[in-house]
């Protein structure tokens, strides 16, 4: 009986150890022995990929002026008052010259201390204040841009600041249609050439991406003439380029 009991206890112990081993292998804390991962590379750029560009020149029909006033005084309130008076006159001149109030937008209003360095005290001393009020103005009657500049300079006097003028196209969509056609024709021509060089037959497009740009044409205005002068500040809008760029993928047959 003792021999049978010992054998039975040994069997129970072995079964217990086997159970513990299985539990350890299945527990989250123990890394299981697995086969190494298989990496499958998929080439998503099959076919012929080309870039195309179409450019159409257009005559701008909007002039955008960056202008305003800057006043200086020993007291900030006085500088503000001078700037406000000058800007009120500038606004009045703009609207009287046919500029819609919705086309006048404040871009920057700034109050800045003016200082000088005192060598004796080695400190900065406040000498006054400068107030600037700048606006962006769209002139849709583009031929009047020069006369508007002169009127603003006369209204604001010595406080007038005109930073520059840029030109743009109000409705560029019609030009973008033409530029898009040119861009796709350019891409097709390149793809045809590549296909012939490679000795393959060009298939249908499988991917098309487009980007457009119509950069404004900046022109820095000449110094406005004094009030009462017979001449008008010359402003020439020139032409601006409307560009459409495409990226096209063609299948290979």
């Amino acid at each position: 009986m003792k021999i049978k009991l010992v054998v039975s206890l040994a069997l129970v112990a072995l079964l217990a150890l086997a159970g513990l081993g299985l539990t350890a292998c299945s527990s989250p804390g123990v890394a299981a022995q697995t086969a190494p991962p298989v990496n499958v590379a998929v080439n998503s750029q099959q076919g012929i990929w080309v870039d195309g560009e179409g450019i159409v020149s257009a005559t701008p029909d909007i002039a955008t002026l960056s202008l305003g006033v800057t006043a200086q005084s020993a007291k900030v309130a006085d500088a503000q008052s001078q700037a406000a008076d000058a800007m009120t006159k500038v606004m009045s001149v703009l609207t009287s010259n046919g500029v819609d109030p919705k086309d006048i937008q404040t871009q920057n209003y700034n109050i800045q201390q003016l200082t000088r360095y005192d060598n004796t005290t080695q400190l900065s001393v406040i000498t006054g204040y400068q107030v600037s009020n700048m606006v962006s103005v769209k002139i849709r009657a583009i031929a009047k841009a020069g006369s508007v500049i002169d009127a603003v300079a006369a209204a604001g006097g010595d406080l007038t600041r005109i930073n520059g003028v840029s030109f743009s196209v109000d409705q560029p969509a019609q030009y973008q249609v033409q530029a898009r056609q040119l861009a796709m024709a350019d891409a097709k021509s390149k793809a045809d050439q590549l296909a012939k060089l490679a000795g393959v037959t060009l298939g249908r497009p499988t991917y098309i991406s487009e980007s457009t740009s119509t950069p404004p044409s900046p022109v820095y205005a000449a110094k406005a003439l004094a009030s009462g002068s017979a001449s008008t500040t010359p402003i020439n809008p020139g032409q601006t380029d409307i560009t459409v760029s495409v990226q096209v993928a063609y299948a290979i047959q």
Side-chain angles (χ1 to χ4, degrees):
M1 291 296 294
K2 290 184 179 180
I3 294 175
K4 289 182 179 180
L5 181 59
V6 171
V7 173
S8 298
L9 290 175
L11 289 172
V12 171
L14 287 173
L15 291 173
L17 288 174
L20 289 173
L22 290 173
T23 303
C25 290
S26 61
S27 63
V30 179
Q33 296 290 333
T34 58
V38 178
N39 295 322
V40 179
V42 178
N43 182 7
S44 61
Q45 294 194 358
Q46 295 177 348
I48 296 178
W49 288 70
V50 291
D51 294 324
E53 184 178 71
I55 301 175
V56 175
S57 296
T59 300
D61 51 13
I62 291 181
T64 302
L65 296 174
S66 174
L67 57 86
V69 297
T70 299
Q72 294 183 14
S73 183
K75 295 183 178 180
V76 66
D78 292 340
Q80 281 185 293
S81 178
Q82 294 174 27
D85 290 343
M87 199 61 184
T88 299
K89 295 176 182 178
V90 168
M91 292 289 196
S92 177
V93 161
L94 288 172
T95 54
S96 65
N97 276 270
V99 179
D100 195 315
K102 70 179 182 181
D103 288 330
I104 304 173
Q105 184 179 56
T106 299
Q107 296 295 305
N108 180 48
Y109 186 88
N110 180 53
I111 299 177
Q112 180 180 354
Q113 288 183 344
L114 302 176
T115 62
R116 65 173 177 82
Y117 185 74
D118 190 320
N119 291 324
T120 302
T121 62
Q122 297 186 348
L123 295 173
S124 293
V125 179
I126 298 174
T127 59
Y129 296 87
Q130 177 177 281
V131 176
S132 297
N133 188 353
M134 303 301 298
V135 296
S136 174
V137 181
K138 285 185 178 181
I139 301 177
R140 299 184 184 275
I142 199 168
K144 297 182 64 176
S147 59
V148 170
I149 289 175
D150 294 339
V152 167
D158 293 339
L159 303 185
T160 306
R161 298 293 182 269
I162 298 179
N163 292 336
V165 55
S166 62
F167 298 96
S168 59
V169 177
D170 188 32
Q171 299 292 337
Q174 57 179 325
Y175 302 104
Q176 290 173 350
V177 170
Q178 302 175 39
R180 187 173 295 113
Q181 293 171 345
L182 294 174
M184 287 299 293
D186 182 39
K188 180 64 163 54
S189 177
K190 292 177 180 177
D192 282 335
Q193 183 183 15
L194 289 171
K196 290 178 182 179
L197 292 172
V200 297
T201 300
L202 193 68
R204 299 178 61 183
T206 59
Y207 172 88
I208 300 175
S209 175
E210 177 196 274
S211 63
T212 61
S213 65
T214 310
S217 304
V219 176
Y220 297 98
K223 183 179 180 180
L225 301 175
S227 177
S229 175
S231 300
T232 301
T233 297
I235 296 296
N236 181 28
Q239 286 193 320
T240 188
D241 289 337
I242 296 175
T243 303
V244 173
S245 300
V246 296
Q247 186 181 51
V248 185
Y250 291 89
I252 295 175
Q253 295 179 347

